[in-house]
Amino acid sequence: MEISIKNFNSLSTKELYEILQLRSEVFVMEQECLYQDIDGKDLKALHVLGIKNKKIIAYARCFDAGIYSEEAAIGRIVVDKLERGKNYGHILLKAAIAAIYTKYGIKTIQLSAQQYLIKFYESHGFKTSGKGYLEDGIPHILMIKKFP
């Protein structure tokens, strides 16, 4: 899998379609979660694409501090169901963390983690913060990574 990082205006129509399709397949269909995916925030995001055989199979969106939350943030982290178990989630998250640090110089990043993925995010230096909560009917928890 190769990584490509783009702002919204640099995405091709095909890339945008594949991103929205992947997010819909996983978050809406697989996780049976009805929510407003197209929320206007993609316009301000840095998009991290995981590409294999010219198709987007993994994706995350990143935000500078003050756009999505007080801290820089990563969201919509997703890997195609058929591509899981191949380390692509780890590659994608490392790229998203590096993109935020490189582009914005930010030393604190937060994300809203589905609780069953806590250990995955902890393996990348994130720590839980506060109590869990329901987000769109799915148990989540705030996680934060601070650089030294």
Side-chain angles (χ1 to χ4, degrees):
M1 177 179 80
E2 58 185 78
I3 297 291
S4 179
I5 300 170
K6 298 183 173 190
N7 62 34
F8 184 81
N9 291 332
S10 298
L11 293 171
S12 71
T13 306
K14 180 181 181 290
E15 287 169 330
L16 180 59
Y17 182 87
E18 286 184 18
I19 290 165
L20 296 174
Q21 182 178 33
L22 178 61
R23 289 180 355 194
S24 180
E25 285 172 359
V26 174
F27 299 130
V28 177
M29 301 303 294
E30 181 184 332
Q31 296 183 352
E32 298 178 356
C33 183
L34 293 175
Y35 74 108
Q36 185 66 43
D37 181 39
I38 302 171
D39 58 4
K41 293 177 180 158
D42 289 318
L43 301 168
K44 299 175 184 174
L46 193 60
H47 302 270
V48 181
L49 317 175
I51 302 165
K52 180 179 174 185
N53 298 325
K54 298 182 181 179
K55 182 180 180 213
I56 297 172
I57 61 154
Y59 170 82
R61 68 180 187 180
C62 303
F63 297 96
D64 195 357
I67 294 177
Y68 188 80
S69 59
E70 279 186 41
E71 306 293 348
I74 304 172
R76 301 288 200 270
I77 302 164
V78 62
V79 176
D80 185 292
K81 187 175 185 175
L82 299 174
E83 299 293 345
R84 293 183 197 148
K86 301 176 183 175
N87 216 33
Y88 295 145
H90 290 284
I91 295 167
L92 179 75
L93 187 56
K94 285 178 188 174
I97 292 166
I100 286 176
Y101 188 74
T102 302
K103 175 127 177 121
Y104 306 122
I106 302 291
K107 295 194 174 195
T108 303
I109 301 171
Q110 75 175 43
L111 54 83
S112 180
Q114 292 185 4
Q115 287 187 14
Y116 81 96
L117 291 168
I118 289 173
K119 290 197 183 309
F120 168 77
Y121 292 115
E122 285 177 337
S123 74
H124 290 272
F126 285 87
K127 295 187 182 331
T128 59
S129 177
K131 295 181 179 182
Y133 51 91
L134 283 179
E135 185 173 309
D136 301 314
I138 298 171
H140 281 71
I141 192 158
L142 178 66
M143 296 192 78
I144 297 174
K145 176 181 178 73
K146 293 186 179 201
F147 293 89

